[in-house]
């Protein structure tokens, strides 16, 4: 697929790894909403997969990548348990965020950075904790929570989301529908919508979040010198700024597919 390729199919794919006594919220989402979308939109198709363990999870995503046709745009919706360390599966195995990125990246490359990911799990927002700037971005954007979620929150929130979502063009409107659940209750919204551009810049632009950068400098300084005196802090900050600037200059356009879309 290239930036000039005509988009022919929007595929929304649910991958679930849940077992009793937990409700099969992914299957319910598919049965209640997603499977009917193709009757309303000729170019929208939905699929459902239930996996038990890490290898099945990986094989399912690889199979999706292998069966892509030119013009496919993919949204992956994950209904599993989650933690700050990664995706938790029925087998009690954990797929780390690094492993997750490596598994979904081929789909994003084949779809030319149009992969949208939805993390219907506790701590799905922790996905942003991993980034490999030397490779292509593993997805265009993702939705995830910074805390534990109840089954009711997942059901209500994502039903609202997919009632208004068919393709990546709908992401802002659909995300607003998801968050409206909390504004109606006057409750704090736990979900975030994160683009890879935001994640890259938040990670490597020291001026975007000065307080976070200061914390990183102090940690690196202590790791290297065993203390955080003024001279060592100054030296560490200088080296980190130089390193980050080089990463931005060398890898940002490649990571974000801007070299592919430069003529578009």
């Amino acid at each position: 697929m290239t930036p000039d390729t005509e988009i022919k199919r929007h595929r929304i794919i649910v991958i679930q790894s849940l077992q009793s006594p937990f409700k099969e919220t992914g299957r319910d989402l598919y049965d209640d909403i997603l499977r009917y979308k193709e009757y309303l939109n000729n170019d929208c198709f939905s699929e459902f997969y239930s996996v038990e363990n890490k290898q099945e999870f990986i094989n399912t995503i690889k199979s999706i990548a292998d069966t892509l046709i030119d013009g496919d745009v993919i949204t992956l919706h994950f209904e599993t348990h989650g933690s700050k360390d990664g995706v938790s599966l029925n087998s009690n195995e954990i797929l780390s965020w690094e492993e997750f990125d490596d598994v979904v990246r081929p789909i994003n490359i084949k779809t030319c950075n149009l992969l949208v990911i939805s993390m219907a799990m506790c701590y799905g927002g922790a996905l942003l904790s991993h980034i490999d700037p030397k490779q292509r971005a593993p997805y265009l954007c993702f939705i995830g929570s910074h805390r534990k979620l109840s089954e009711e929150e997942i059901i209500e929130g994502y039903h609202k989301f997919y009632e208004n979502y068919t393709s990546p063009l709908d992401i802002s409107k659909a995300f607003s529908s998801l968050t409206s659940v909390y504004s109606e209750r006057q409750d704090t919204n736990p979900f975030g919508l994160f683009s890879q551009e935001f994640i890259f810049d938040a990670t490597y632009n020291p001026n975007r979040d000065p307080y976070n950068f200061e914390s990183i400098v102090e940690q690196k300084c202590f790791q290297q010198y065993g203390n955080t005196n003024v001279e060592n802090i100054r030296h560490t900050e200088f080296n980190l700024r130089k390193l980050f600037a080089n990463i931005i200059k060398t890898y940002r356009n490649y990571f974000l597919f801007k070299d592919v879309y430069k003529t578009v």
Side-chain angles (χ1 to χ4, degrees), residues 29-260:
L29 176 67
Y30 175 79
D31 288 341
D32 294 346
I33 294 178
L34 296 181
R35 67 179 179 143
Y36 298 109
K37 281 189 174 288
E38 61 187 88
Y39 300 108
L40 302 174
N41 305 274
N42 293 332
D43 61 348
C44 183
F45 301 89
S46 59
E47 303 161 44
F48 174 84
Y49 300 91
S50 181
V51 300
E52 291 297 314
N53 56 50
K54 192 172 181 178
Q55 196 57 55
E56 283 188 19
F57 186 97
I58 292 170
N59 289 345
T60 298
I61 296 177
K62 284 184 175 179
S63 176
I64 293 167
D66 291 342
T67 57
L68 285 174
I69 64 172
D70 218 24
D72 276 359
V73 173
I74 304 294
T75 297
L76 292 178
H77 179 84
F78 296 96
E79 295 263 358
T80 71
H81 296 294
S83 73
K84 294 179 181 179
D85 297 322
V87 178
S88 301
L89 303 166
N90 279 352
S91 59
N92 293 321
E93 295 171 286
I94 293 180
L95 188 82
S96 72
W97 297 126
E98 180 178 1
E99 291 173 312
F100 180 90
D101 281 354
D102 288 343
V103 171
V104 302
R105 183 178 287 107
I107 296 178
N108 197 44
I109 292 173
K110 286 188 175 184
T111 58
C112 214
N113 197 33
L114 290 176
L115 173 62
V116 173
I117 287 179
S118 175
M119 309 294 277
M121 64 184 71
C122 300
Y123 299 110
L127 175 58
L128 59 74
S129 64
H130 176 263
I131 183 171
D132 184 349
K134 297 182 181 180
Q135 299 198 62
R136 292 290 194 187
Y139 46 82
L140 172 65
C141 63
F142 84 93
I143 296 170
S145 168
H146 64 81
R147 63 162 171 80
K148 289 185 176 181
L149 296 172
S150 67
E151 289 181 343
E152 290 72 23
E153 285 180 298
I154 289 172
I155 293 168
E156 186 175 5
Y158 278 107
H159 275 60
K160 287 274 190 182
F161 179 85
Y162 283 107
E163 284 171 0
N164 294 278
Y165 182 88
T166 299
S167 79
L169 293 175
D170 303 323
I171 190 73
S172 294
K173 177 180 68 175
F175 184 70
S176 294
S177 297
L178 186 159
T179 58
S180 70
V181 172
Y182 295 90
S183 59
E184 289 169 3
R185 297 175 180 167
Q186 297 183 334
D187 196 1
T188 302
N189 167 43
F191 290 98
L193 171 59
F194 306 97
S195 70
Q196 278 289 4
E197 187 159 11
F198 168 83
I199 295 170
F200 188 99
D201 290 342
T203 303
Y204 296 112
N205 182 350
N207 300 319
R208 190 179 186 106
D209 188 344
Y211 294 105
N212 183 57
F213 180 66
E214 181 180 343
S215 175
I216 294 171
V217 169
E218 289 179 354
Q219 291 175 25
K220 292 293 184 183
C221 182
F222 189 81
Q223 289 172 4
Q224 185 172 357
Y225 298 106
N227 63 66
T228 54
N229 67 43
V230 174
E231 182 179 350
N232 289 338
I233 284 285
R234 187 181 298 116
H235 187 259
T236 303
E237 180 178 350
F238 175 82
N239 287 338
L240 277 177
R241 285 186 178 274
K242 184 177 179 180
L243 173 65
F244 286 3
N246 183 62
I247 289 173
I248 292 171
K249 180 180 179 180
T250 306
Y251 301 115
R252 188 177 188 275
N253 285 349
Y254 178 79
F255 180 82
L256 296 173
F257 290 76
K258 292 187 180 294
D259 57 322
V260 175

